[in-house]
Amino acid sequence: MMHAARAVAGKEFRHMLHDRFTLALVFGLPLFQLLLFGYALETRIHDVPAALINLDPHSEGRVLERKIANSPLFSIKPGYRTEADVLAGLRAGRIRAGVEIPADYTASLLYRGKTTVRVWLDGTEAGTPATLLTALDGLALDQSLHSLLRARLPVQSLGEIEIRPRILFNADGRTATFLVPGLVAILVQMITTLLLALSVAKERELGTLDQMLVTPLGPSGIIAGKCLACSAVGLVEALGLLLAMRFVFGVHVQAPLALLLSVLPLLIIGPAGIGLLIAAHARHQSQALQLTYLIFLPSVLLSGFLFARDFMPAPMWWISTPLPTTYNVDLLRAIVIRGAGFGEVARNLAIAAVLGGLLFAAGWRGAVRSLRPKS
């Protein structure tokens, strides 16, 4: 038995050494994923896109404005002057927080000993509102001490700065509300990509693909038929998952239902293109599964599904930019959780459509070419 085991083990080693794909999978993939996810999975919150409205031109208002602007936790975005501007920015996902310093801030703090700062927070990202509130409370206490020391007042005169938060979109912090819309986008991509990749690889592995190629169907007809079938299954899957989201998890769609339904084809186009690209290169089903895994895991972890893209290092942010999952997750969260309208998601819709179209065109070309006889 040991002699047979040594012989088989030797054969396996020789096979792996001569199989470039296996070598890359065994040694390259773990190192690539370690470097990718080790840099990308940043849980420390920093540089949160925020709006800052200062209606108080006096000294204490300017001091608090500088403290917030200089905090590493916030990245202040210009162009927000009213509450309506802040709410629109939050709904569109351009900012995650808004702070308003009232016009009577200095007078109320120095003469009445109490003042209020209004704060709006996006509850879409789990954990972010609590961290921001803690930081703002710390800045408020620091500002109170600063005012006390500058005015040389007794400790009993320490002014109170009340942070009055308003958490929008998932104010109760339900995990299902945060996770399920993004999970729908993730699962639709996985099903569509896997179906297309395995469908072509299985035909090639069983030899039935060669039989189909001698029929009048031709390579384009075969790929078109597989795309239609797998895309239809993907759309049905998406509808089923959305129904489960609503009736099983109790996650309500805040935007018009027509907008949500119009987005569903975009959830299919990009993943279908990826599936066709895999199908063009996979010689058998196990290889298709491995390639799907290679693409799927980075797509999940870099898309903002679990870890906000705002806090990723710049190289990881750029790597996540061309991934269709990034825009699919953001679109579903914007429509389902934030109730964003067409105008507020138009940019992401356009990017998702162009990116999905390019991926599908590249996948179609590669898959059709792989079926044509080699000259």
Side-chain angles (χ1 to χ4, degrees):
M1 184 180 67
M2 291 303 299
H3 178 73
R6 283 195 297 270
V8 172
K11 180 190 77 68
E12 288 299 319
F13 280 125
R14 286 192 297 272
H15 173 74
M16 285 188 284
L17 288 173
H18 289 88
D19 188 345
R20 293 182 181 179
F21 180 81
T22 301
L23 283 175
L25 187 70
V26 171
F27 296 106
L29 180 59
L31 179 61
F32 168 73
Q33 292 182 340
L34 177 66
L35 294 174
L36 189 65
F37 304 145
Y39 282 113
L41 303 186
E42 176 65 77
T43 57
R44 181 177 58 90
I45 294 176
H46 59 89
D47 293 324
V48 176
L52 177 57
I53 304 172
N54 185 9
L55 303 177
D56 181 9
H58 300 99
S59 58
E60 298 301 321
R62 293 197 302 270
V63 169
L64 182 59
E65 179 183 7
R66 284 197 299 271
K67 286 182 181 294
I68 295 174
N70 293 331
S71 170
L73 206 62
F74 297 99
S75 173
I76 303 302
K77 304 300 179 184
Y80 295 89
R81 296 180 176 84
T82 65
E83 178 182 352
D85 293 339
V86 172
L87 295 179
L90 287 166
R91 194 176 298 108
R94 291 189 294 269
I95 56 174
R96 302 295 181 189
V99 181
E100 182 189 79
I101 303 172
D104 61 347
Y105 175 83
T106 299
S108 297
L109 183 62
L110 296 181
Y111 299 108
R112 290 195 292 272
K114 184 175 182 179
T115 189
T116 300
V117 174
R118 288 204 297 170
V119 175
W120 299 273
L121 297 170
D122 182 358
T124 305
E125 300 290 348
T128 303
T131 303
L132 295 181
L133 279 178
T134 301
L136 287 169
D137 283 334
L139 290 174
L141 178 59
D142 184 66
Q143 173 70 1
S144 298
L145 290 170
H146 174 273
S147 303
L148 179 72
L149 293 173
R150 198 170 68 166
R152 298 181 180 179
L153 296 173
V155 176
Q156 292 81 2
S157 303
L158 181 65
E160 179 187 350
I161 302 176
E162 178 189 358
I163 302 296
R164 186 172 293 173
R166 179 185 169 192
I167 300 178
L168 297 87
F169 328 125
N170 192 24
D172 56 357
R174 286 187 69 222
T175 304
T177 305
F178 163 67
L179 284 179
V180 173
L183 190 57
V184 170
I186 295 290
L187 293 174
V188 170
Q189 170 174 329
M190 182 184 71
I191 292 298
T192 307
T193 301
L194 199 58
L195 276 177
L196 262 173
L198 288 179
S199 176
V200 178
K202 182 179 179 180
E203 299 272 13
R204 184 177 280 127
E205 188 175 342
L206 295 176
T208 53
L209 194 57
D210 294 331
Q211 298 173 13
M212 295 173 69
L213 286 171
V214 298
T215 67
L217 291 172
S220 297
I222 294 171
I223 295 301
K226 290 188 175 295
C227 284
L228 283 174
C230 295
S231 298
V233 172
L235 283 173
V236 172
E237 181 81 18
L239 289 171
L241 292 172
L242 289 173
L243 288 172
M245 178 188 75
R246 169 63 182 86
F247 295 106
V248 176
F249 294 97
V251 179
H252 297 262
V253 180
Q254 302 300 323
L257 190 59
L259 178 59
L260 177 61
L261 295 177
S262 67
V263 167
L264 293 187
L266 292 181
L267 304 183
I268 304 296
I269 297 174
I274 296 174
L276 289 174
L277 284 171
I278 294 173
H281 296 91
R283 299 297 98 187
H284 43 76
Q285 292 183 80
S286 62
Q287 200 173 55
L289 278 170
Q290 291 165 350
L291 288 171
T292 302
Y293 167 75
L294 175 64
I295 295 171
F296 179 70
L297 191 57
S299 296
V300 172
L301 294 179
L302 297 180
S303 65
F305 170 59
L306 292 174
F307 305 94
R309 293 178 69 236
D310 295 332
F311 313 138
M312 290 180 184
M316 297 300 105
W317 190 92
W318 283 110
I319 290 174
S320 69
T321 299
L323 299 176
T325 323
T326 298
Y327 303 97
N328 293 346
V329 168
D330 191 63
L331 278 170
L332 279 187
R333 282 184 175 162
I335 293 169
V336 174
I337 304 176
R338 299 199 298 268
F342 177 79
E344 292 159 330
V345 297
R347 178 177 175 275
N348 274 1
L349 278 172
I351 294 175
V354 171
L355 181 60
L358 290 174
L359 277 172
F360 188 82
W364 175 277
R365 186 166 178 263
V368 170
R369 179 179 291 180
S370 72
L371 298 186
R372 286 176 179 155
K374 303 294 187 293
S375 56

